[in-house]
Amino acid sequence: SSASTPIRATLFPGDGIGPEIAESVKQVFREADVPIEWEEHYVGTEIDPRTQSFLTWESLESVRKNGVGLKGPMATPIGKGHRSLNLTLRKELNLYANVRPCYSLPGYKTRYDNVDLITIRENTEGEYSGLEHQVVRGVVESLKIITRQASLRVAEYAFHYAKAHGRERVSAIHKANIMQKTDGLFLKCCREVAEKYPEIKYEEVVIDNCCMMLVKNPALFDVLVMPNLYGDIISDLCAGLIGGLGLTPSCNIGEGGIALAEAVHGSAPDIAGKNLANPTALLLSAVTMLRHLELHDKADRIQNAILSTIAEGKFRTADLGGSSSTSDFTQAIVDHL
Amino acid sequence: SSASTPIRATLFPGDGIGPEIAESVKQVFREADVPIEWEEHYVGTEIDPRTQSFLTWESLESVRKNGVGLKGPMATPIGKGHRSLNLTLRKELNLYANVRPCYSLPGYKTRYDNVDLITIRENTEGEYSGLEHQVVRGVVESLKIITRQASLRVAEYAFHYAKAHGRERVSAIHKANIMQKTDGLFLKCCREVAEKYPEIKYEEVVIDNCCMMLVKNPALFDVLVMPNLYGDIISDLCAGLIGGLGLTPSCNIGEGGIALAEAVHGSAPDIAGKNLANPTALLLSAVTMLRHLELHDKADRIQNAILSTIAEGKFRTADLGGSSSTSDFTQAIVDHL
Ligand SMILES: CC(C)[C@H](C(=O)O)[C@@H](O)C(=O)O
Ligand SMILES: CC(C)[C@H](C(=O)O)[C@@H](O)C(=O)O
């Protein structure tokens, strides 16, 4: 990927604060001379007046064709009769692994120092099957589906990631003492893959115990791989350790090497359009996209500028206790490039 | 309950360190003149040579008859073909609510101060249905069952508890944005009960967000009520905030007012029989049993002695960074009575 032929990447700014923080990414990328040309599409919970749709076929095709994309927050309306757009994207693009690095930001103090965790979440099945029904009045059931194929696939991804990033250990998180068949199958697949990576340590940790240990001493863990819902829970817990979802990047990996990076925080409708939102999670997610494209120099440069700006502490948005606007914070990052 | 006619209570010392920490409870109760006569039964993962059983009918009957009991840890063998004894007890005794108070222990420093949380867990259904099967080779499913009856019952218990203990708020923890039918029914039941308690604030929090907020600021919560697996996860997370399962009491409430208090930590076979175990969780659980019996004076006296001993810090077991034996720590508590 040479600097002269720009790489096309899809951009879904999303709902609420999405457009503002996407603007911030565009500005930083521009100033850092990142050779990316954005292909912007509206995907969100409002019907787009231009397309009369909240998710067009063209939006999906754009990611499939480009292979990389970045998405802002999309609201999940509870009980509005349509499925979460986040889930729809995961399903349509077969985004099977969700990777969330979670590390302490220098200069931004929380109760925990030196957190450095990677959660890798199976992103397509488990408790998110969507299969639910009423058995009789007052008795409902949901199906959790675990397949060998999806479990092997995410386990492969986790070990591959651990090896490629010089990580020491993969912990498979489960509740196989209760769900012996489903979580049991997940573990069996992890064990099979672990055997192919003798240089990576492998362990299995029950989810309740994992949460207790993460809270007591996050340094006990390194890379964590798990079924869908546990990944949802544990990745948020880990984000909490370093300050919250406003600070953590996330990247979804799909079949055929697709990467859709995303900010996993909410769309914050209360502050939308007010130039108050913190673009850090989307910016750091955009950095993971650059790494996926092997544009490590650009990735390092931008990541350093973001981290230095936060560490310096002069420009911080309200969620981090500061009073900077989105655009002032973004400008400070640009100045650090 | 007068001091002259002793109250009979069942005692299951359990596996591993169970007998030692049960001994500690017996000694403290004796020294505090608690009018309880223990009816001791072996329940555990080894076959008892006397009864040729790991769980006799008499053991269950003892709890049913006495209405109160205390249990030590019981190992859950993974994949040994029989169900966890913990689950068997919950099922046989219809222990529908598991209550875990979680508060910072004065003088025992963790990253969090002034934690004061109550988790109330539905204890009979949900992801613990035991219903699992292989659909085809490589595809397995588990059923999560939520019923109106069990959800109302635990919600009632939670609001009743909140009111009786002067608590302000009940938060129902769920993932109804994904499991709309099952968690949706759970929430519906909580809302119904909430209406009968206008003096108690009610809110609903998605489990991933709840974990993030607990880690960032546990003071945001008060009483939490939730389906089985979320309760398993969140109660361990909360325990982690104040130092771990070795320090947190737990009590199971069953139909007809049965209360079976229990230490929820493991049986620690590695240190069993070595006079090294920390009896705090079992002692504090025994205190919740006394409160259930309305023996508040005794409960206060014993609880204060336990907390003062830990606060003083002269006698602490190894898990708390000290070097005291179980019996020295117990003696110190007795001296504080
Ligand atoms: C919004 C919601 C459907 C989603 C999930 O549960 O996966 C979110 O929590 C996430 O982690 O991306
Ligand atoms: C041992 C295990 C079966 C049990 C559970 O999952 O309920 C334990 O974690 C608990 O919380 O009591």
Side-chain angles (χ1 to χ4, degrees):
Chain A
S1 45
S2 99
S4 48
T5 45
I7 302 163
R8 296 185 74 82
T10 305
L11 179 63
F12 300 147
D15 292 318
I17 56 173
E20 293 156 81
I21 59 179
E23 199 45 64
S24 169
V25 172
K26 288 192 272 187
Q27 184 186 343
V28 172
F29 271 39
R30 216 161 40 227
E31 300 281 352
D33 291 319
V34 177
I36 276 189
E37 204 167 276
W38 295 109
E39 218 172 273
E40 199 168 324
H41 288 267
Y42 176 80
V43 177
T45 33
E46 306 302 323
I47 301 280
D48 182 349
R50 284 161 306 173
T51 62
Q52 292 295 315
S53 168
F54 40 76
L55 173 60
T56 61
W57 178 83
E58 285 75 11
S59 305
L60 294 172
E61 270 306 289
S62 169
V63 185
R64 289 195 189 106
K65 181 171 48 67
N66 295 330
V68 285
L70 178 67
K71 78 175 264 294
M74 287 163 197
T76 293
I78 300 199
K80 282 230 183 127
H82 65 79
R83 263 194 138 190
S84 148
L85 277 168
N86 291 303
L87 297 203
T88 305
L89 286 173
R90 286 175 205 168
K91 203 177 163 182
E92 292 291 332
L93 298 171
N94 209 349
L95 300 171
Y96 66 84
N98 176 242
V99 185
R100 298 198 194 167
C102 193
Y103 47 86
S104 301
L105 297 185
Y108 184 66
K109 246 194 101 45
T110 69
R111 293 183 170 87
Y112 298 85
D113 298 315
N114 303 320
V115 175
D116 183 14
L117 298 163
I118 310 285
T119 62
I120 298 182
R121 160 184 184 183
E122 201 294 318
N123 219 11
T124 65
E125 55 176 31
E127 306 78 358
Y128 286 64
S129 72
L131 299 169
E132 292 189 293
H133 67 277
Q134 176 173 308
V135 182
V136 295
R137 221 181 141 77
V139 179
V140 286
E141 62 186 29
S142 302
L143 266 62
K144 165 171 169 171
I145 311 283
I146 298 286
T147 68
R148 184 171 157 76
Q149 190 236 345
S151 304
L152 282 175
R153 187 170 59 172
V154 75
E156 281 286 3
Y157 187 82
F159 278 93
H160 174 84
Y161 184 101
K163 189 170 176 178
H165 291 77
R167 295 273 173 168
E168 279 188 9
R169 193 152 35 104
V170 171
S171 309
I173 312 304
H174 68 96
K175 190 77 193 178
N177 49 347
I178 296 302
M179 282 162 281
Q180 307 193 346
K181 293 202 178 162
T182 47
D183 286 5
L185 175 59
F186 184 82
L187 289 184
K188 191 164 172 287
C189 293
C190 289
R191 275 175 219 150
E192 276 181 45
V193 176
E195 284 191 4
K196 299 196 285 173
Y197 291 82
E199 68 278 31
I200 309 280
K201 290 192 201 109
Y202 172 67
E203 64 172 2
E204 295 168 358
V205 184
V206 177
I207 178 151
D208 44 339
N209 191 32
C210 176
C211 289
M212 185 177 74
M213 301 210 300
L214 276 170
V215 161
K216 286 183 73 173
N217 183 9
L220 293 171
F221 295 98
D222 187 349
V223 175
L224 299 96
V225 64
M226 56 223 133
N228 212 337
L229 182 66
Y230 307 155
D232 182 51
I233 293 171
I234 295 224
S235 60
D236 272 34
L237 189 166
C238 291
L241 301 174
I242 66 117
L245 289 180
L247 300 173
T248 52
S250 164
C251 191
N252 296 289
I253 306 297
E255 291 283 8
I258 282 182
L260 182 63
E262 63 171 343
V264 286
H265 54 68
S267 55
D270 49 320
I271 59 162
K274 297 189 178 153
N275 197 18
L276 291 172
N278 182 354
T280 302
L282 194 66
L283 280 162
L284 290 176
S285 298
V287 168
T288 69
M289 196 189 85
L290 293 181
R291 298 206 183 278
H292 188 84
L293 292 167
E294 310 262 343
L295 296 172
H296 293 293
D297 287 354
K298 299 290 183 195
D300 288 342
R301 196 171 152 217
I302 294 174
Q303 182 165 354
N304 289 339
I306 300 166
L307 299 187
S308 310
T309 305
I310 293 173
E312 199 183 62
K314 268 199 284 184
F315 296 93
R316 281 187 185 166
T317 45
D319 58 316
L320 301 187
S323 60
S324 294
S325 64
T326 309
S327 43
D328 286 350
F329 176 71
T330 305
Q331 186 56 49
I333 294 169
V334 167
D335 294 341
H336 275 92
L337 277 172
Chain B
S1 44
S2 100
S4 48
T5 46
I7 301 163
R8 297 185 72 82
T10 305
L11 179 63
F12 301 147
D15 292 317
I17 57 173
E20 294 157 80
I21 59 178
E23 199 45 64
S24 169
V25 172
K26 287 193 272 187
Q27 184 186 343
V28 172
F29 272 38
R30 218 161 36 227
E31 301 281 354
D33 292 319
V34 178
I36 276 190
E37 205 169 275
W38 295 108
E39 218 173 273
E40 198 168 324
H41 288 267
Y42 176 80
V43 177
T45 33
E46 307 300 325
I47 301 281
D48 183 349
R50 285 163 304 174
T51 61
Q52 293 294 316
S53 168
F54 41 73
L55 173 60
T56 61
W57 177 82
E58 285 77 11
S59 306
L60 295 172
E61 271 305 290
S62 169
V63 185
R64 289 195 189 106
K65 182 170 47 67
N66 296 330
V68 284
L70 179 67
K71 78 175 267 292
M74 288 164 196
T76 295
I78 301 201
K80 283 230 182 125
H82 66 77
R83 260 194 141 192
S84 148
L85 278 168
N86 291 304
L87 296 204
T88 306
L89 286 172
R90 286 175 205 167
K91 204 177 160 181
E92 292 291 333
L93 298 171
N94 209 350
L95 300 170
Y96 66 84
N98 177 241
V99 185
R100 299 199 193 166
C102 194
Y103 46 88
S104 302
L105 298 184
Y108 183 68
K109 246 196 100 45
T110 70
R111 291 184 170 86
Y112 298 85
D113 299 316
N114 305 319
V115 175
D116 183 13
L117 300 163
I118 310 285
T119 62
I120 298 183
R121 162 184 183 184
E122 201 294 321
N123 219 12
T124 65
E125 55 177 32
E127 307 77 357
Y128 286 63
S129 71
L131 299 170
E132 293 188 292
H133 68 277
Q134 176 174 307
V135 183
V136 295
R137 222 182 140 76
V139 180
V140 286
E141 62 186 30
S142 302
L143 265 63
K144 165 171 169 171
I145 311 283
I146 298 285
T147 68
R148 183 170 158 77
Q149 189 236 345
S151 304
L152 281 175
R153 188 170 59 172
V154 75
E156 281 286 2
Y157 187 82
F159 279 93
H160 174 83
Y161 184 101
K163 188 171 179 182
H165 291 77
R167 295 275 177 167
E168 278 189 8
R169 194 153 35 105
V170 171
S171 309
I173 312 304
H174 68 96
K175 188 79 194 177
N177 48 347
I178 296 301
M179 282 162 283
Q180 307 192 347
K181 292 201 178 159
T182 48
D183 286 6
L185 175 57
F186 184 80
L187 288 183
K188 191 164 172 287
C189 293
C190 289
R191 273 174 222 153
E192 275 181 45
V193 176
E195 284 191 6
K196 298 196 286 172
Y197 291 83
E199 67 279 30
I200 309 281
K201 290 191 200 110
Y202 172 67
E203 63 172 2
E204 297 168 358
V205 184
V206 178
I207 178 153
D208 44 338
N209 192 31
C210 176
C211 289
M212 186 177 73
M213 299 210 301
L214 276 171
V215 160
K216 285 183 74 172
N217 183 9
L220 293 171
F221 295 98
D222 187 348
V223 175
L224 300 97
V225 64
M226 56 222 131
N228 212 338
L229 182 67
Y230 308 154
D232 183 50
I233 293 171
I234 294 224
S235 61
D236 271 35
L237 189 165
C238 291
L241 302 174
I242 65 115
L245 290 181
L247 300 173
T248 52
S250 164
C251 191
N252 297 288
I253 305 298
E255 291 283 9
I258 282 183
L260 182 63
E262 64 171 342
V264 287
H265 55 66
S267 55
D270 49 319
I271 60 162
K274 297 190 177 150
N275 197 19
L276 292 171
N278 182 355
T280 302
L282 194 66
L283 281 161
L284 290 176
S285 298
V287 167
T288 69
M289 196 188 85
L290 294 181
R291 298 206 184 279
H292 188 82
L293 292 166
E294 310 262 344
L295 296 171
H296 292 292
D297 288 353
K298 299 290 183 196
D300 289 343
R301 197 172 152 215
I302 295 175
Q303 183 166 353
N304 289 338
I306 301 166
L307 298 187
S308 310
T309 305
I310 293 172
E312 199 184 63
K314 268 201 283 185
F315 296 93
R316 280 186 185 168
T317 45
D319 58 313
L320 300 188
S323 60
S324 294
S325 63
T326 310
S327 42
D328 286 350
F329 176 70
T330 307
Q331 186 55 50
I333 293 169
V334 167
D335 295 343
H336 275 91
L337 277 172

